[in-house]
Amino acid sequence: MKVINVDLGERSYPIYIDFDLLANSEIICQHIKSKQVLVLTNETIAPLYLERLLVSLSAYQVQTLVLPDGEQYKTIDTVTTIFDSFLENQYGRNATLIALGGGVVGDMGGFAAACFQRGVPFIQVPTTLLAQVDSSVGGKTGVNHPLGKNMIGAFYQPECVVVDTQVLKTLDDRQLSAGLAEVIKYGLIRDPDFFSWLEQNMPALRARDYAALSYAIERCCLAKAQIVAEDEKEAGVRAILNLGHTFGHAIESGSGYGVYLHGEAVAIGCCQAADLSRRLGYLSASDVERIIAIFQRAGLPTKPPKNLSTDDYLAFMGRDKKNIDGHIHLILLAKIGWAELPVTVDIDTLVATLENYGAV
Ligand code: NAD
Ligand code: GLY
């Protein structure tokens, strides 16, 4: 088993990565300090993995809450149903919430845990590649708003993250590719050797070679743990984890949540960020081509929907969390393996990128 520590002083926690970890009750139980446990999952994951987790939790008083599946349910209304469940079961401040699922379940579970009685412990058990390499680590929790993605939320760290790589066998190919978008992001922002490794190993990753997948998960979690330890609340370097996300969030919100998967929107957004970086003199044309090629080889879209206008993009991007005093700030690439901290972009150049990508 690989263990990576997220070093945050008294809020430090381990990320455990191994095959068949759900069946390892010792690992998860050492982080539960109460009798009362609420397991949060969704209707797709429950029939696949809930029972296996419940066997590991047999020593506890466990309630389960099975949510509807989909990004469109990542709302404040759904989070209210989690509060209902805590209250109906008379759970107290020491109850532990376990989020078993992808980024949607994890983000909502973490947010509910942050808010219920001003904070109860929670554990992330991520079941998608995207959640295993990104969303379960670092304590960003929250929900979407119709006017903007992840607009309501809190920084709230889990007690531990339990990554069972075996669960990836039931993930469909589209979701696996969506996870690869965030994996590629790590290569782009700070790790050129990993980017080259991904270019070599993309067929193995897509064929679910578990050695390759485990290596990629470990490398991404290590990178995320380091960045989060340096800048937990995104006052600086953590912002580079948002490469492509400002474009991507506009695509997700503008198309209607769930039409584009988060990873798909990030893939397109990274290509748009690369185009903008080239226009502003940061990135070479050959690097832009390499970036588009790797996303294509990961089975991801690299062009946005045609129904988003420049005004639509600018409206959504104008509400991004990185903006300062109403000015859009974006992460640009200086080269493959190096992202710059957010810079204010010139709107005309941004519009040129949007138009190059079909916006009218
Ligand atoms: P998701 O949670 O919607 O899961 C994708 C699909 O896979 C769902 O239908 C789910 O039911 C299914 N699924 C999950 N595990 C499965 C398994 N093992 N086998 C079969 N099916 C399975 O999507 P996601 O890609 O995991 O997460 C996307 C969300 O994460 C977005 O809302 C995004 O904003 C958020 N996110 C958050 C952070 C963060 O730092 N908190 C980072 C990146 C993304
Ligand atoms: N996924 C962006 C972050 O965690 O900061």
Side-chain angles (χ1 to χ4, degrees):
M1 180 171 64
K2 183 86 180 172
V3 186
I4 294 168
N5 190 45
V6 183
D7 190 359
L8 288 168
E10 62 183 14
R11 282 170 293 102
S12 297
Y13 55 94
I15 306 166
Y16 302 103
I17 306 170
D18 205 359
F19 196 78
D20 203 17
L21 259 187
L22 281 184
N24 187 335
S25 66
E26 255 178 56
I27 286 294
I28 198 159
C29 293
Q30 65 183 307
H31 293 279
I32 303 175
K33 306 283 185 275
S34 54
K35 266 280 164 216
Q36 298 177 322
V37 173
L38 178 66
V39 176
L40 183 72
T41 188
N42 77 20
E43 60 200 359
T44 304
I45 300 151
L48 295 170
Y49 300 112
L50 182 57
E51 196 49 45
R52 202 180 303 178
L53 179 61
L54 292 182
V55 169
S56 291
L57 299 173
S58 56
Y60 300 92
Q61 176 194 331
V62 181
Q63 298 292 335
T64 59
L65 178 60
V66 179
L67 301 176
D69 184 5
E71 184 75 36
Q72 65 275 31
Y73 297 106
K74 191 175 142 180
T75 62
I76 199 77
D77 286 347
T78 307
V79 170
T80 301
T81 69
I82 308 174
F83 299 144
D84 294 344
S85 187
F86 272 124
L87 290 165
E88 282 159 9
N89 291 298
Q90 301 198 314
Y91 273 19
R93 192 178 263 170
N94 68 339
T96 299
L97 186 149
I98 301 180
L100 171 71
V104 169
V105 169
D107 279 12
M108 284 196 288
F111 185 48
C115 298
F116 183 65
Q117 297 196 357
R118 301 197 182 90
V120 296
F122 92 109
I123 290 174
Q124 290 272 22
V125 185
T127 60
T128 61
L129 179 62
L130 185 140
Q132 294 186 346
V133 298
D134 199 344
S135 64
S136 64
V137 176
K140 278 192 181 175
T141 72
V143 295
N144 301 326
H145 186 282
L147 294 181
K149 175 100 180 125
N150 294 335
M151 281 294 150
I152 322 293
F155 286 99
Y156 193 65
Q157 302 295 343
E159 300 297 307
C160 69
V161 181
V162 178
V163 176
D164 181 347
T165 52
Q166 189 181 24
V167 302
L168 298 179
K169 73 174 188 294
T170 52
L171 202 61
D172 69 36
D173 288 343
R174 186 179 171 199
Q175 295 290 349
L176 188 83
S177 289
L180 288 172
E182 299 279 18
V183 173
I184 294 166
K185 173 192 79 178
Y186 286 101
L188 285 173
I189 59 176
R190 274 296 182 273
D191 197 343
D193 293 343
F194 184 48
F195 188 89
S196 301
W197 182 90
L198 289 170
E199 288 181 317
Q200 298 292 317
N201 288 279
M202 195 52 75
L205 292 165
R206 292 190 70 190
R208 293 164 209 246
D209 173 319
Y210 278 90
L213 280 170
S214 298
Y215 175 77
I217 293 166
E218 283 169 30
R219 195 130 174 179
C220 295
C221 285
L222 202 55
K224 184 142 189 191
Q226 280 167 352
I227 291 172
V228 168
E230 203 176 314
D231 177 24
E232 182 184 9
K233 300 214 170 146
E234 202 169 301
V237 70
R238 184 167 180 167
I240 66 172
L241 290 167
N242 291 312
L243 174 70
H245 283 56
T246 309
F247 292 101
H249 286 166
I251 292 168
E252 281 188 87
S253 309
S255 308
Y257 296 118
V259 174
Y260 279 80
L261 301 181
H262 177 70
E264 293 172 341
V266 166
I268 300 165
C270 284
C271 295
Q272 292 170 308
D275 179 278
L276 182 62
S277 303
R278 183 192 59 75
R279 282 172 199 277
L280 292 169
Y282 286 76
L283 194 64
S284 70
S286 62
D287 272 357
V288 176
E289 280 170 25
R290 251 179 104 191
I291 290 167
I292 294 170
I294 197 168
F295 284 116
Q296 287 173 338
R297 291 184 60 222
L300 286 157
T302 54
K303 295 206 171 102
K306 295 205 181 342
N307 59 339
L308 278 184
S309 68
T310 302
D311 285 347
D312 292 333
Y313 271 106
L314 293 179
F316 283 111
M317 295 174 95
R319 290 189 279 267
D320 188 77
K321 294 190 283 304
K322 287 183 297 304
N323 294 350
I324 298 171
D325 292 336
H327 297 293
I328 295 174
H329 280 60
L330 293 172
I331 308 299
L332 297 178
L333 285 171
K335 58 183 178 183
I336 287 175
W338 191 261
E340 299 287 344
L341 292 182
V343 292
T344 320
V345 296
D346 157 57
I347 291 293
D348 290 343
T349 318
L350 174 58
V351 168
T353 285
L354 294 172
E355 288 177 352
N356 185 40
Y357 273 85
V360 284

